[in-house]
């Protein structure tokens, strides 16, 4: 039943793992734009319906770190095919759901099915390609990672507007069946892959701690800002449960002979530092991805289409540069490429930190284009450096941990910037409001100019003074929000500058056919 990698075309294996990876990433964002339609169709409340998103993310986050253990338990090919089957079947059930509890339950199963797809796909690609071509493999893998968030909202919006929200789930059926066929035909379990031995003790406590800790943490990150963080007893309780569970998990797994999540691999210096860089890199990257559309649509008055035009070129360039960056890792020290990506990311965020309420379309698009060029060099090069000295037989252990920290970094980043935005808006509002008094010459001049302008348009109506003050307050609120966005962008750029220095503590990866990669 097993076949050696050489007996199957590498590009067919690549296609077999990229199809399920892409649909899984698509489904993390495809439901966002359809949430209002789901709410109306199922007669759900505004807060209740967000569990359609949260339930998927929680289930997904739980399975990712244990996917290596599950692959060892049942065989990687069988686990991958089971994951695709569960994901596809639960997608159909989500589309057919008639109540909110039903769709939340089926989204949980969808998340459980999708959780293992990314880490297993990455592990298979890293094993399939020879060491000197791993950069190219990660470039191709990165195309799916980048393409998913771009296509998700577009596809979700199109299907919802032209058909019904149920089709955002039904569309997974043909893709899922194709993925099942490709996995069955072209994937294999390598002979060196470790399998669970008969009579081996299952790490039940590790499973319980992992499920509880990651599940509670994901809910805290997703719901924290909405519930005002630790002023909510629900969020506080979950945060304590998560902290206790995850700390207990680390101590328990380091002592268990067959852990669900093997932290011993972090003894590899490059792998350990690479995971830290991945966490904080995606912390900064995903935070900025959330901020830019909010700034353009919320403060600049851009439509969703215009905001998409600003974001689109950067996304397209990222797709183009992914394989380019992968190819370059065969000739250039990947650490230099990683450092280049970080500096360009930091510079793009520096430009965003200087945005004001009068920037033109080109300025906003240019900053996003720089980010789109930088991210392939960051993502591909970091993967190459991080996994350069990880043995092939340890890929099933290493990839889930790497993907977990990438996803958690994104979740932490989004939670951080939304909270920072709210806090800094309040701060700048209070500072700017200090000058809104009749004693301020600037305030009086602005007030008189606005009042005169309104009088020319409306005449001397009774509430002219009140209207002028309302407009001044709205201007103050927009200015306070813009300054808060500046602070948030600047903080994300500072993270990339700090990470730049971490790169040089990682071992130089070998390159070319004559250097000693770990096989």
């Amino acid at each position: 039943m097993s076949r050696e990698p050489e007996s199957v075309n590498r590009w067919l294996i690549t296609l077999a793992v990229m199809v399920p990876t892409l649909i899984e990433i698509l489904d993390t964002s495809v439901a966002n734009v359809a949430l209002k339609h789901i709410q109306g169709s199922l007669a759900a409340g505004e807060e209740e319906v967000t569990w359609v998103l949260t339930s998927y993310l929680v289930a997904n986050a739980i399975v990712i770190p244990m996917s290596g253990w599950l692959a060892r338990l049942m065989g990687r090919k069988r686990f991958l095919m089971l994951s695709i089957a569960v994901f596809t079947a639960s997608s159909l059930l989500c589309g057919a759901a008639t109540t909110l509890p039903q769709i939340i339950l089926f989204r949980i199963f969808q998340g459980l099915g999708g959780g293992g797809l990314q880490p297993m796909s990455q592990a298979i690609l890293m094993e399939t390609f020879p060491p000197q071509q791993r950069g190219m493999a990660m470039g191709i893998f990165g195309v799916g990672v980048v393409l998913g968030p771009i296509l998700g909202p577009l596809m979700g919006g199109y299907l919802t507007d032209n058909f019904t929200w149920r089709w955002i789930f039904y569309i997974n059926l043909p893709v899922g069946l194709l993925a099942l066929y490709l996995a069955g035909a072209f994937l294999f379990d390598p002979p060196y892959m470790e399998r669970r031995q008969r009579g081996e003790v299952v790490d039940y406590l590790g499973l319980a701690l992992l499920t509880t800790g990651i599940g509670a943490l994901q809910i805290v990150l997703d719901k924290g800002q909405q519930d005002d963080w630790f002023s909510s007893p629900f969020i506080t309780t979950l945060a304590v449960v998560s902290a206790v569970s995850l700390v207990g998990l680390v101590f328990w797994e380091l002592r268990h002979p067959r852990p669900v999540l093997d932290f011993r691999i972090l003894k590899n210096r490059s792998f350990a530092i690479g995971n830290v860089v991945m966490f904080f890199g995606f912390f900064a990257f995903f935070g900025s991805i959330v901020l830019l559309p909010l700034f353009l649509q919320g403060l600049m008055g851009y439509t969703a289409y215009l905001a998409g035009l600003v974001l689109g070129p950067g996304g397209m360039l990222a797709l183009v540069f992914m394989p380019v960056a992968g190819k370059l890792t065969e000739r250039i020290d990947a650490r230099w490429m990683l450092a280049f990506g970080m500096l360009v990311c930091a510079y793009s965020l520096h430009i965003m930190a200087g945005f004001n309420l009068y920037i033109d379309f080109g300025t906003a698009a240019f900053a996003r284009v720089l980010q789109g060029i930088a991210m392939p060099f960051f993502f591909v090069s970091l993967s190459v450096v991080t996994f350069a000295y990880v043995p092939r037989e340890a890929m099933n252990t290493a990839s889930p941990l790497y993907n977990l920290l990438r996803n958690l970094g994104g979740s932490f980043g989004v939670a951080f910037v939304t909270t920072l935005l709210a806090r800094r808006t309040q701060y700048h509002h209070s500072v700017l409001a200090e000058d809104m008094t009749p004693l301020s010459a600037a305030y009086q001049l602005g007030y008189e100019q606005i009042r005169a302008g309104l009088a020319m348009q409306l005449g001397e109506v009774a509430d002219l003074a009140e209207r002028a003050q309302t407009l001044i307050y709205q201007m103050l609120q927009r200015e306070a929000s813009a300054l808060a966005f500046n602070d948030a962008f600047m903080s994300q750029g500072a993270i990339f500058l700090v990470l730049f220095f971490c790169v040089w503590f990682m071992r130089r990866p070998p390159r070319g056919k004559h250097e000693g990669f770990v096989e």
Side-chain angles (χ1 to χ4, degrees):
M1 184 171 176
S2 291
R3 285 178 287 180
E4 291 295 326
E6 290 77 9
S7 66
V8 180
N9 186 291
R10 292 191 185 108
W11 298 108
L12 290 175
I13 295 174
T14 301
L15 180 63
V17 298
M18 284 310 303
V19 171
T21 297
L22 182 58
I23 61 170
E24 193 278 326
I25 296 173
L26 276 172
D27 268 67
T28 60
S29 58
V30 73
N32 294 25
V33 293
L35 211 58
K36 289 290 184 184
H37 297 267
I38 296 173
Q39 179 184 350
S41 175
L42 302 181
E46 190 166 338
E47 281 196 27
E48 294 172 328
V49 79
T50 59
W51 283 100
V52 172
L53 307 179
T54 304
S55 57
Y56 180 87
L57 294 174
V58 171
N60 206 258
I62 289 170
V63 173
I64 287 174
M66 66 172 66
S67 56
W69 176 80
L70 289 169
R72 190 167 65 87
L73 181 70
M74 63 181 72
R76 187 169 61 193
K77 176 176 179 176
R78 190 174 297 153
F79 169 59
L80 194 64
M81 293 185 69
L82 177 63
S83 296
I84 296 170
V86 171
F87 180 88
T88 306
S90 55
S91 295
L92 290 179
L93 293 171
C94 285
T98 56
T99 65
L100 184 65
Q102 282 182 6
I103 195 172
I104 290 174
L105 175 64
F106 299 143
R107 282 284 278 177
I108 289 172
F109 282 110
Q110 193 184 34
L112 293 174
L117 298 180
Q118 282 190 63
M120 288 301 98
S121 296
Q122 186 179 41
I124 290 169
L125 279 180
M126 295 293 274
E127 292 177 15
T128 299
F129 282 77
Q132 65 271 16
Q133 293 182 4
R134 284 179 181 169
M136 177 59 75
M138 286 301 97
I140 296 164
F141 182 77
V143 168
V145 173
V146 171
L147 193 61
I150 294 172
L151 289 182
L154 292 175
M155 190 176 76
Y158 177 81
L159 291 173
T160 302
D161 291 341
N162 292 279
F163 300 95
T164 171
W165 65 265
R166 298 182 185 277
W167 278 96
I168 67 175
F169 300 111
Y170 290 150
I171 197 68
N172 288 335
L173 176 60
V175 185
L177 292 176
L178 173 63
L180 271 176
Y181 166 74
L182 293 172
F186 303 120
L187 299 184
F188 57 88
D189 287 347
Y192 54 79
M193 187 180 129
E194 188 181 16
R195 298 291 294 269
R196 179 175 180 263
Q197 303 299 315
R198 183 172 296 179
E200 181 181 313
V201 177
V202 177
D203 183 13
Y204 290 112
L205 181 57
L207 280 170
L209 291 171
L210 177 63
T211 302
T212 305
I214 295 296
L217 176 61
Q218 189 64 55
I219 294 173
V220 168
L221 294 173
D222 197 51
K223 297 288 186 183
Q225 173 60 22
Q226 180 181 314
D227 293 348
D228 198 19
W229 294 105
F230 299 113
S231 62
S232 163
F234 174 68
I235 294 297
T236 303
T237 302
L238 285 182
V240 171
V241 168
S242 176
V244 171
S245 298
L246 293 178
V247 171
L249 175 70
V250 172
F251 282 102
W252 175 258
E253 297 295 78
L254 288 174
R255 301 177 61 170
H256 198 279
R258 293 290 185 182
V260 173
L261 192 58
D262 193 352
F263 293 106
R264 297 178 186 91
I265 197 170
L266 292 173
K267 292 178 182 178
N268 181 319
R269 186 183 74 199
S270 289
F271 182 75
I273 297 173
N275 275 273
V276 172
V277 173
M278 173 54 79
F279 176 86
F280 285 104
F282 266 67
F283 180 104
F285 175 63
F286 270 89
S288 64
I289 288 296
V290 169
L291 286 174
L292 188 54
L294 288 176
F295 179 86
L296 295 174
Q297 292 178 260
L299 297 182
M300 299 293 295
Y302 280 38
T303 63
Y305 175 72
L306 279 176
L309 287 181
V310 171
L311 299 174
M316 292 300 106
L317 281 173
L319 292 179
V320 171
F321 276 92
M322 279 288 179
V324 172
K327 192 66 177 175
L328 286 175
T329 59
E330 298 175 17
R331 299 179 176 273
I332 302 173
D333 185 342
R335 294 178 303 170
W336 286 102
M337 294 173 57
L338 176 57
F340 169 77
M342 288 178 176
L343 290 178
V344 176
C345 268
Y347 181 62
S348 71
L349 287 162
H350 172 72
I351 294 174
M352 294 179 195
F355 283 175
N356 57 44
L357 296 172
Y358 307 100
I359 61 166
D360 59 14
F361 179 92
T363 301
F366 176 68
R368 173 60 181 150
V369 162
L370 284 178
Q371 196 176 50
I373 294 172
M375 280 314 296
F377 290 92
F378 174 83
F379 178 82
V380 175
S381 304
L382 180 58
S383 298
V384 170
V385 177
T386 303
F387 286 93
Y389 297 98
V390 175
R392 286 197 304 177
E393 59 271 16
M395 287 295 178
N396 279 348
T397 300
S399 184
L401 187 58
Y402 186 74
N403 280 272
L404 171 67
L405 288 172
R406 187 188 71 206
N407 284 16
L408 286 180
S411 296
F412 269 96
V414 171
F416 172 78
V417 295
T418 52
T419 302
L420 180 66
L421 201 59
R423 301 292 191 269
R424 295 301 292 176
T425 298
Q426 292 173 355
Y427 167 76
H428 288 297
H429 185 281
S430 64
V431 171
L432 292 174
E434 290 176 0
D435 291 328
M436 287 184 61
T437 68
L439 300 177
S440 169
Y443 170 75
Q444 280 295 106
L445 178 62
Y447 170 76
E448 292 299 335
Q449 289 176 338
I450 291 173
R451 190 180 186 283
L454 287 173
M456 290 179 63
Q457 293 180 359
L458 305 174
E460 290 293 336
V461 295
D463 61 345
L464 198 60
E466 185 179 338
R467 292 191 184 200
Q469 289 173 343
T470 299
L471 282 175
I472 290 175
Y473 179 82
Q474 290 172 349
M475 292 168 60
L476 179 146
Q477 187 64 28
R478 287 184 70 226
E479 189 64 36
S481 295
L483 291 171
F485 274 100
N486 293 158
D487 294 342
F489 283 128
M490 186 62 75
S491 69
Q492 304 302 82
I495 291 172
F496 277 113
L497 288 179
V498 172
L499 291 178
F500 171 82
F501 296 99
C502 297
V503 174
W504 310 109
F505 291 95
M506 303 172 77
R507 293 175 65 187
R508 183 180 73 86
R511 60 186 189 277
K513 296 182 179 180
H514 304 295
E515 295 198 44
F517 275 87
V518 175
E519 289 279 6

